[in-house]
């Protein structure tokens, strides 16, 4: 089963910029890339979505190269409250069946230190 | 106002019992989902309904039966509970079907099988 790949964990300090990369080699032509944030004991929360190049909103930026086989979530000037797990989501192609399925990445645990 | 609400928040029961989890969304969305998050934090989709019709049915034991009485509700009934069913179950909704629709998640139901 093809799936997305992210670093398991990252550490940062308050005020720094954090970049989290997700690999999605089998992304389909029509698929968007969506990132979610999850705090303990809560459901994932939508952060940002993009198709190509760059997307920016009030909380993050998303960079997508031309081949779209990866994406990078950029969090500017993180604070302690940004400590969470970050997931990328794409429609993924199953290698054995050719079927498309919703597949969350394994998630990246971001720890922000004071 | 809670957008996607699940009940109960915690569910502790014994092997072999039958239990239900309820989900309601007040966002006016057409599509609802059930996800399972295991102890390693992997989020896997189980089911998806669009306007009360089943559109995604992943490889899930037939002990799990979703029911959607209307497009604002998607309940999950589980028969003959097993130890491996212990997990956090998340309900989600999106404006429409399709992998590119941002999803809104509830805060989860933590199911523990004794």
């Amino acid at each position: 089963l093809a799936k997305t790949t992210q670093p398991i964990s990252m550490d940062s300090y308050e005020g720094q910029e954090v970049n989290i990369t997700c690999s999605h080699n089998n992304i389909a032509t029509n698929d968007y890339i969506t990132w979610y944030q999850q705090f303990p004991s809560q459901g994932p929360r939508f952060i940002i979505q993009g198709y190509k190049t760059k997307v920016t909103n009030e909380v993050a930026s998303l960079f997508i190269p031309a081949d779209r086989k990866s994406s990078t979530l950029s969090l500017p000037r993180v604070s302690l409250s940004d400590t969470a797990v970050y997931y990328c989501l794409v429609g993924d192609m199953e290698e054995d069946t050719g079927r498309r399925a919703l597949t969350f990445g394994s998630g990246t645990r971001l720890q922000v230190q004071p | 106002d809670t957008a996607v609400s699940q009940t109960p928040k915690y569910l502790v029961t014994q092997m072999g019992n039958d239990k239900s989890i309820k989900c309601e969304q007040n966002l006016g969305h057409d599509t609802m989902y059930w996800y399972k998050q295991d102890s390693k934090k992997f989020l896997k989709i189980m089911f998806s309904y669009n306007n009360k019709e089943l559109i995604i049915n992943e490889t899930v034991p037939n002990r799990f039966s979703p029911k959607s009485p209307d497009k604002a509700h998607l309940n999950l009934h589980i028969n003959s509970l097993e130890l491996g069913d212990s997990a956090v179950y998340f309900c989600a909704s999106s404006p429409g079907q399709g992998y590119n629709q941002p999803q809104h998640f509830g805060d989860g139901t933590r199911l523990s099988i004794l």
Side-chain angles (χ1 to χ4, degrees), chain A residues 46-111:
Chain A
F46 171 84
I47 302 176
I48 196 167
Q49 184 182 67
Y51 183 80
K52 62 180 180 179
T53 63
K54 177 184 175 182
V55 178
T56 297
N57 63 20
E58 62 276 9
V59 297
S61 294
L62 180 58
F63 299 92
I64 305 167
D67 66 6
R68 304 197 334 116
K69 292 183 183 297
S70 67
S71 59
T72 299
L73 173 72
S74 181
L75 304 172
R77 299 179 298 282
V78 294
S79 63
L80 294 177
S81 62
D82 291 318
T83 294
V85 179
Y86 293 82
Y87 293 95
C88 72
L89 174 65
V90 298
D92 223 349
M93 185 75 71
E94 294 182 343
E95 291 173 348
D96 51 351
T97 65
R99 188 176 62 130
R100 291 177 66 242
L102 275 173
T103 304
F104 273 79
S106 53
T108 298
R109 185 175 300 276
L110 173 65
Q111 180 69 50

Side-chain angles (χ1 to χ4, degrees), chain A residues 3 30-34 36 38 41-46 49 85 87 89-92 94 99-106 109, chain B residues 6 9-10 33 35 37 40-45 48 56-59 88 90 98-108 110:
Chain A
K3 56 185 178 183
N30 295 330
D31 281 340
Y32 280 66
I33 300 148
T34 311
Y36 291 82
Q38 186 178 24
S41 301
Q42 293 186 22
R45 184 174 69 98
F46 171 84
Q49 184 182 67
V85 179
Y87 293 95
L89 174 65
V90 298
D92 223 349
E94 294 182 343
R99 188 176 62 130
R100 291 177 66 242
L102 275 173
T103 304
F104 273 79
S106 53
R109 185 175 300 276
Chain B
Q6 300 178 223
K9 190 172 177 64
Y10 300 96
Y33 312 81
Y35 285 85
Q37 188 170 44
K40 295 184 179 179
K41 304 300 184 184
F42 284 106
L43 261 170
K44 293 187 65 175
I45 190 167
S48 176
I56 293 177
N57 185 1
E58 294 298 311
T59 306
V88 181
F90 287 100
Y99 302 99
N100 300 321
Q101 296 278 331
Q103 296 175 43
H104 297 252
F105 284 80
D107 283 337
R110 183 173 296 277

